Structures are given as C-alpha cells and as structure tokens.
Amino acid sequence: MATLVGSDDNMKGKYVVLDTTVGSTRSVAVPQLSGHQGDAGRVVYLAIQDGAVPHNMDGQKLVLKAKDASGTPKVSDTMTSIISSSGGLVEFTVPSQFYQADGPYSTAYFEIRSTTTDTVISTINVSFEVLESATIMTTGQSEVYNNEMGNKMESINASITNQLKALQDQVDTASTLAKTAQASLDAITAAAKANSFATLSGDNTYSGNNTFNGTTTIENLSSPTIDSLKNTLTNNINAVSNSVNSQLAGKLTVEENWTRNYTLGGAFTAPQGGANQFALSRYKIMDGLSIITGRGDLVVNSDNEYFEGTITLPWIVDNADTAFAQMYWDSKGDYTYTLPHLGVWDKTLGISMKGKRNNQTCRLSLVIFTTDR
C-alpha cells in the first residue's frame, strides 16, 4: 500500500496552498489530488499565493499537466470556478482520466495562464499518486487525455465555420451584383441600339422621342454616357472581386515548405542518395494554430522488437499538441506499429515502433497540430 505524504503547513482551511515562489526543483505535495484507480474524478480547493500574498486570478486560469506512472500524458483545464479572484481561491475538478494507471505521477504541475493571450504566467510543481484499486476489475490501459486541446479545436472549428460562412455570403452578394450589373449593361446597350438610324445613309440627330420596332443592328456605337456607365459598372465589379479575393487570401499560408532542417537519432538515419528523403512543411491555418506535416523515406535499423527513433524538428512542440504518424515498410503498403510522442516544450519528437528492421528504407507520414511558438 502506497503512503500519501502531506503537510498541514500548506493548508488554509479546506484550501491547499500553491506558492508561485516555490523553486522549480521543489514540488508541493497535494494528497487531495490522490485517489484510487477508477475514481470518477476529484474536486480540490486551491489557494494560489505569491509567497504570503494571495495571487490575483483576474483574467487567469489553471491548467494541470502531468505524466502518470505509465508515462501517459494528461492535460486538463477544468477549473470549475474562481471562488475569490483577489484571494486566489479556486475550485478545480480533476477528470477521471487522471486515475487510470496506479502509482505516483512522474511529472505534474499547475500552469497559471492568461485567458486572453494564453501565455504561461507561472508554473507550480505538485506531487500526488493513484492507489491500486481494491476490486478485481481494472480500468484498462491508461490513455492520453487532453481536454485543453479539444476545447481549442472546438473554438477554432467554430471560428473557421463563421469565417467561411461570411465569405460565402460575400460570394453570393458578389454574384448578385454581377448579374445586376450585366442586366443593367444589357438594358443600356439595347436602349442605345433603339435610337440608331433615321436613314440608311447620312448623319442623323435625334432630339425627340423615337420608337423603333423590329431588330436593330449597329456596327459601331459611340456614346460618352454609355462609356461612363460601362466604366462605372466595370469598376464596381472589379471592386467586388478584389474584396472577395482579399477575404480568401491568407487563410492557409505556407510558412516553410519542404525543409530537411532536422536531425535524426535513435533507430533513424537518412537514406543515401534517395530522391524521396523525408522532408517537413509548416502551414499556418490562422492566428495561434499551425500544422506541421512530413513525408518521405527514412532508414530504420534495430535488432530489438520494440525500439524508438527520434526527429529533432526546427520548431518547438509540446505534449499539449496532437501528433499522428504512420510508417510504411514495403511497396505493398504494409505498415508497422508507429506511436509518436512529444516532450514538454521541446523540439524532439520520439516515435516508438515494433518489428525488427535491418537497415530497411521505410516511408514515414507525420502530422502535428501545434500552437504558434
């Protein structure tokens, strides 16, 4: 049976005191975070302080980031409420996903973040553990959990949907204006043709009202009024077109295209003279969100059944980001077990694999959703 370690010195009534001035090498024991496998979640009350002074939580939130005993990342921003902003008193709900693997958390810390800029204001290390369930049933394998990224993606999804709807409305308006302009131009031209010739030869001047029945054909028409109207209509149509183009521009921009500015390690090396050597691209979707993609060949070499290769990227990523990878190892399209995992605020991407490989050229596909850093 594991022993929970705590102290009454870091308690203020029912609130656990989290001191932002505690050094990065120290960790605050929070037994209130500890629980058993299968717990449905826990509610803890926290008092955030800057030394002996309460930390003002106006415009700020708490995010709990951790790796459990199995090394599985967990991230949650489920701060239920701010009980007192000026007093630094908050209520935080720890989801059930934090209570899957038994044992002490290898890494755990609270981030104090700005709700407007999403920048990290302070970090407080904490320690807690998950006790083994006393029942026969188990909760199964610990799974990666990140509700903060899910919340961000929902917000981004809604923003993109709203922008696309606004663009569609502008395109519909532009189409209507273009049809109206064309109809006006046709009407003006028809009116000009209806006032053409009094005789087949000679010059004619019309000063009154004239009516022409039947079809009228004009080989050469000159009119300052018509030319002015045409110019006005053309300028209006071009203005609408330019407005739509400017709205569509910049929604997906390439920040860096097909770079090989990376370093391979572990079981990975670069192929010699290969035309399809692995390369990376970085696309900016919108403010605050980018996508890193990679595709190409790597040489994999390992005598072990389970092994790992590393790619040191030219950009910083974090375990709060989301990564997907797939490794194909022959021309038939067969693929091997491939699991990417990210460090904390690091450029190195680890990829765990299964299946011995003896200097075999494999094709890796990689996608990472990341915030701008």
Side-chain angles (χ1 to χ4, degrees):
M1 175 66 69
T3 301
L4 300 180
V5 180
S7 171
D8 292 336
D9 294 337
N10 66 336
M11 295 297 298
K12 181 189 287 186
K14 68 177 180 179
Y15 294 90
V16 181
V17 176
L18 298 182
D19 188 353
T20 62
T21 64
V22 171
S24 60
T25 60
R26 297 179 59 195
S27 181
V28 179
V30 186
Q32 291 79 356
L33 288 172
S34 299
H36 287 83
Q37 280 182 298
D39 279 0
R42 299 181 68 84
V43 176
V44 294
Y45 296 89
L46 305 172
I48 317 301
Q49 295 187 182
D50 302 325
V53 180
H55 179 88
N56 195 313
M57 290 296 293
D58 279 336
Q60 298 174 19
K61 66 177 183 178
L62 284 182
V63 180
L64 177 59
K65 293 187 176 182
K67 282 188 179 179
D68 65 15
S70 69
T72 304
K74 312 284 183 177
V75 179
S76 179
D77 62 352
T78 48
M79 186 174 69
T80 309
S81 65
I82 297 179
I83 298 172
S84 172
S85 292
S86 60
L89 304 180
V90 301
E91 178 183 336
F92 195 96
T93 300
V94 185
S96 60
Q97 287 82 356
F98 279 68
Y99 301 98
Q100 293 176 329
D102 67 295
Y105 267 72
S106 61
T107 302
Y109 56 92
F110 278 104
E111 282 184 352
I112 303 177
R113 285 179 168 268
S114 168
T115 56
T116 55
T117 63
D118 204 37
T119 54
V120 177
I121 297 170
S122 184
T123 301
I124 308 168
N125 295 324
V126 295
S127 60
F128 63 100
E129 61 184 322
V130 177
L131 303 179
E132 184 178 5
S133 174
T135 62
I136 297 175
M137 298 180 64
T138 64
T139 58
Q141 183 180 4
S142 181
E143 299 175 345
V144 174
Y145 178 75
N146 190 336
N147 81 310
E148 185 189 32
M149 178 57 72
N151 293 338
K152 285 184 178 179
M153 290 303 294
E154 288 180 4
S155 175
I156 291 167
N157 217 12
S159 177
I160 292 175
T161 300
N162 292 335
Q163 291 188 50
L164 290 177
K165 183 179 183 303
L167 289 174
Q168 184 61 52
D169 292 341
Q170 291 193 36
V171 170
D172 293 342
T173 302
S175 176
T176 302
L177 290 174
K179 290 179 180 179
T180 302
Q182 186 61 56
S184 299
L185 189 58
D186 292 343
I188 292 171
T189 303
K193 289 182 178 180
N195 298 297
S196 299
F197 299 97
T199 60
L200 294 179
S201 60
D203 298 328
N204 299 278
T205 299
Y206 297 90
S207 58
N209 298 324
N210 301 274
T211 301
F212 297 86
N213 296 320
T215 302
T216 302
T217 301
I218 301 176
E219 293 182 355
N220 186 8
L221 178 64
S222 175
S223 169
T225 301
I226 293 176
D227 291 341
S228 176
L229 288 172
K230 284 184 177 180
N231 291 336
T232 300
L233 291 171
T234 299
N235 292 336
N236 289 340
I237 293 172
N238 289 339
V240 172
S241 176
N242 292 336
S243 175
V244 173
N245 289 337
S246 65
Q247 290 293 325
L248 292 175
K251 298 305 174 186
L252 180 61
T253 58
V254 179
E255 288 196 332
E256 190 159 357
N257 191 23
W258 291 116
T259 178
R260 293 188 172 91
N261 181 22
Y262 56 79
T263 303
L264 301 176
F268 292 160
T269 57
Q272 299 298 318
N276 195 40
Q277 182 178 339
F278 184 77
L280 294 164
S281 295
R282 189 167 188 260
Y283 303 90
K284 183 177 180 62
I285 297 180
M286 60 183 298
D287 289 343
L289 180 65
S290 297
I291 296 178
I292 297 172
T293 63
R295 185 179 184 278
D297 293 341
L298 298 172
V299 176
V300 180
N301 183 32
S302 176
D303 293 331
N304 299 319
E305 184 68 13
Y306 295 92
F307 57 93
E308 182 172 293
T310 62
I311 302 175
T312 301
L313 307 170
W315 312 286
I316 293 176
V317 292
D318 187 72
N319 61 11
D321 298 334
T322 301
F324 304 93
Q326 183 68 67
M327 180 74 79
Y328 296 90
W329 56 273
D330 65 12
S331 60
K332 298 178 182 178
D334 291 339
Y335 58 89
T336 183
Y337 165 89
T338 308
L339 177 64
H341 50 89
L342 303 169
V344 177
W345 202 264
D346 196 1
K347 291 185 177 182
T348 299
L349 167 73
I351 299 180
S352 300
M353 301 176 63
K354 176 182 180 297
K356 297 180 180 180
R357 298 286 182 271
N358 183 16
N359 287 323
Q360 185 171 5
T361 299
C362 301
R363 181 156 296 174
L364 174 65
S365 296
L366 173 68
V367 177
I368 302 175
F369 293 89
T370 177
T371 57
D372 294 339
R373 296 184 176 91

